[in-house]
């Protein structure tokens, strides 16, 4: 009996080995005419400065969440690629794309001519504008009025740029912060008297982090800014997929659903 068992076991192993072989063979040598097997899909790394609620932030579980995140997840699903989000400080975010450490960036990034020189952008997925935050009692009604104030901005953002134009790039009245929430905290603390940053983030911050006491001032001289998803310059293949995904989520209502869940029904 023992011997018979041993033989049977040996036979089983042999059969498994053969099955294993033939499986491998068929994987590495597809039948003539069959389409080539797709290369093992690499999970694409998405860089985002996750201190920008409601566009991107980290929840208490450490997960990166937000409007931008949901848009990119939906785009990736439509376009057939996998993504993983990695918190990436704004300072150095563009460099991480250039170095190949990130495959794409979603970070409420305004498409600008200057940035277009060094990276490629998808079609725009969101419209924004700069917005000024000041104390309720500040005699400020337009952008010009902050000329005499200490102004906080996030370093290297479009807010930094417009304030630099008004006050002079090297003005000591401009306080540059690593993140927009840090600039707004400084406004609360009284270290700066105004902050200029993207409208969505300013409005969200004031509503959720302060007990009133601050107001926003808009100014029509601020241009409309378009957010885009960035890829490394020349990565036309990924860019095409992203644009195709964006079109698909607009067409089937996914985009509108995500938009509504963050901002209420779409205005345009
Ligand atoms: N839209 C602005 C810009 O492109 C600010 C973006 C900052 N984004 C962020 N996740 N911190 O300059």
């Amino acid at each position: 009996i023992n011997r018979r068992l041993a033989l049977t076991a040996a036979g089983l192993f042999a059969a498994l080995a053969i099955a294993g072989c033939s499986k491998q063979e068929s994987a590495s040598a597809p039948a003539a005419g069959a389409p080539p097997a797709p290369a093992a899909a690499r999970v694409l790394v998405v860089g985002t400065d996750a201190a920008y609620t409601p566009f991107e932030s980290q929840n208490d579980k450490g997960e990166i969440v937000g409007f931008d995140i949901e848009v990119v997840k939906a785009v990736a699903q439509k376009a057939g690629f996998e993504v993983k989000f990695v918190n990436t400080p704004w300072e150095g975010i563009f460099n991480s794309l250039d170095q190949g450490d990130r495959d794409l960036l979603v970070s409420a990034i305004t498409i600008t001519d200057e940035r277009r020189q060094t990276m490629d952008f998808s079609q725009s997925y969101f419209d924004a504008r700069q917005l000024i935050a000041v104390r309720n009692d500040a005699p400020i009604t337009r952008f010009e009025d902050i000329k005499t104030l200490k102004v906080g901005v996030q370093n290297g953002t479009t807010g930094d740029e417009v304030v630099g134009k008004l006050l002079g790039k090297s003005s000591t009245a401009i306080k540059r912060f690593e993140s927009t929430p840090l600039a707004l905290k400084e406004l609360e603390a009284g270290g700066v008297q105004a902050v200029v940053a993207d409208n969505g983030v300013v409005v969200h911050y004031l509503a959720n982090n302060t007990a009133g006491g601050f107001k926003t001032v808009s100014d029509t001289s601020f241009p409309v800014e378009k957010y885009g998803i960035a890829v490394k310059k020349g990565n036309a293949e990924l860019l095409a997929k992203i644009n195709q995904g964006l079109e698909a989520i607009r067409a089937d209502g996914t985009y509108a659903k995500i938009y509504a869940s963050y901002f209420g029904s779409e205005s345009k």
Side-chain angles (χ1 to χ4, degrees), residues 34 51 60 62 65 73 104 125 135 152 195 197 211-212 231 235 268:
D60 12 315
V65 297
K73 279 184 180 167
L104 58 148
Y125 67 90
R135 280 174 54 138
V195 165
V231 300
N235 193 351
K268 40 164 206 170

Side-chain angles (χ1 to χ4, degrees), residues 49 52 56 90 107-110 115 154 157-158 198 225 227:
D49 174 24
Y52 218 62
E56 44 264 339
W90 183 254
S107 206
I109 303 169
T110 302
R115 289 173 182 164
Q154 183 178 6
T157 58
T158 45
D198 293 12
E225 300 186 20
Y227 291 172

